[in-house]
């Protein structure tokens, strides 16, 4: 058996006890505790690194071509992610994102550094020249058209990621409903 002792003042025998799991995403909750939360504000999804994105599909979606030298500059700045995993068998304390994938969180959205990289990547030749070909100058919005192109690129990358999954969100939600009804 086991015993439980309350150390907080005001706890009385027979009263309800709550567990605080902390700020955990659904992967962690499922792995360590066996459940997930709908609309978990701490949920995270990691897209593949930008270097693995279909650039031609982004160009088509945005109506812009990636100009010469941009991918190379982003790569030198470390904004495309890594080509390979650093360690094929990471320990429990190592980050699950060792290839530099694009992090999306329910609470904050996409990493601002990724938006900056996409602003530079999808910039027109004029925007690129006006920036002095410096990625740092894309930290803030440079034009409405450029911002639209960067956000369209993110949306297209997310759509391609979802299209690559075996089931749809609706199918997953139906399956969860069936499992809840059984449990």
């Amino acid at each position: 058996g086991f015993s439980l002792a309350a150390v907080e003042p005001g706890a009385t025998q027979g009263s309800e006890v709550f567990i605080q799991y902390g700020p955990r995403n659904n992967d962690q909750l499922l792995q360590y505790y066996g459940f997930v939360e709908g609309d978990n504000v701490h949920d995270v999804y990691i897209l593949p690194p930008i270097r693995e994105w279909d650039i031609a599909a982004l160009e088509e979606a945005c109506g812009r071509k990636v100009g010469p030298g941009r991918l190379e500059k982003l790569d030198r700045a470390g904004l495309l992610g890594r080509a390979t995993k650093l360690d094929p068998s990471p320990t429990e304390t190592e980050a699950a994102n060792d290839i530099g994938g694009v992090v999306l969180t329910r609470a904050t959205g996409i990493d601002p550094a990724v938006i900056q990289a996409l602003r530079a990547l999808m910039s027109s030749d004029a925007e690129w020249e006006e920036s002095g070909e410096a990625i740092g100058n894309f930290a803030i919005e440079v034009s409405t058209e450029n911002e639209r192109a960067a956000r369209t690129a993110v949306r297209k990358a997310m759509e391609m990621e979802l299209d690559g999954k075996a089931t749809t969100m609706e199918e997953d939600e139906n399956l969860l409903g069936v499992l809840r009804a059984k449990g």
Side-chain angles (χ1 to χ4, degrees):
F2 68 91
S3 64
L4 181 66
V7 294
E8 293 293 321
T12 60
Q13 185 173 356
S15 64
E16 190 172 10
V17 177
F18 296 93
I19 298 173
Q20 171 60 284
Y21 293 99
R24 300 199 184 275
N25 65 48
N26 277 338
D27 285 346
Q28 293 169 321
L29 290 174
L30 183 61
Q31 181 178 3
Y32 299 113
Y33 305 106
F35 70 92
V36 295
E37 283 184 12
D39 297 322
N40 181 349
V41 297
H42 303 291
D43 221 359
V44 172
Y45 187 81
I46 302 174
L47 288 167
I50 294 172
R51 77 170 53 258
E52 295 179 15
W53 293 10
D54 182 344
I55 300 300
L58 300 183
E59 290 174 327
E60 183 179 333
C62 297
R64 289 181 169 209
K65 291 285 186 194
V66 172
R70 290 177 181 77
L71 283 168
E72 293 80 6
K73 271 212 168 181
L74 289 170
D75 196 23
R76 283 194 303 274
L79 293 170
L80 296 182
R82 286 182 276 292
T84 58
K85 289 185 168 206
L86 297 177
D87 180 358
S89 56
T91 65
E92 189 175 311
T93 57
E94 290 177 308
N97 187 18
D98 64 347
I99 60 169
V102 174
V103 177
L104 303 169
T105 67
R106 189 178 293 272
T108 59
I110 194 161
D111 182 343
V114 172
I115 292 293
Q116 178 179 346
L118 292 172
R119 286 176 182 141
L121 185 66
M122 303 312 300
S123 63
S124 68
D125 289 340
E127 292 163 342
W128 183 245
E129 288 170 18
E130 287 172 24
S131 77
E133 299 183 6
I135 296 165
N137 290 332
F138 289 92
I140 60 171
E141 185 176 326
V142 295
S143 73
T144 304
E145 296 80 18
N146 177 265
E147 194 70 13
R148 186 177 307 117
R151 300 214 177 252
T152 298
V154 171
R155 186 171 31 261
K156 182 64 178 175
M158 290 188 295
E159 288 170 357
M160 290 187 300
E161 179 74 1
L162 287 171
D163 288 345
K165 300 300 178 196
T167 59
T168 66
M169 179 70 85
E170 184 178 293
E171 290 168 329
D172 291 345
E173 288 171 348
N174 289 338
L175 178 59
L176 283 172
V178 168
L179 292 174
R180 283 189 195 112
K182 288 182 180 178

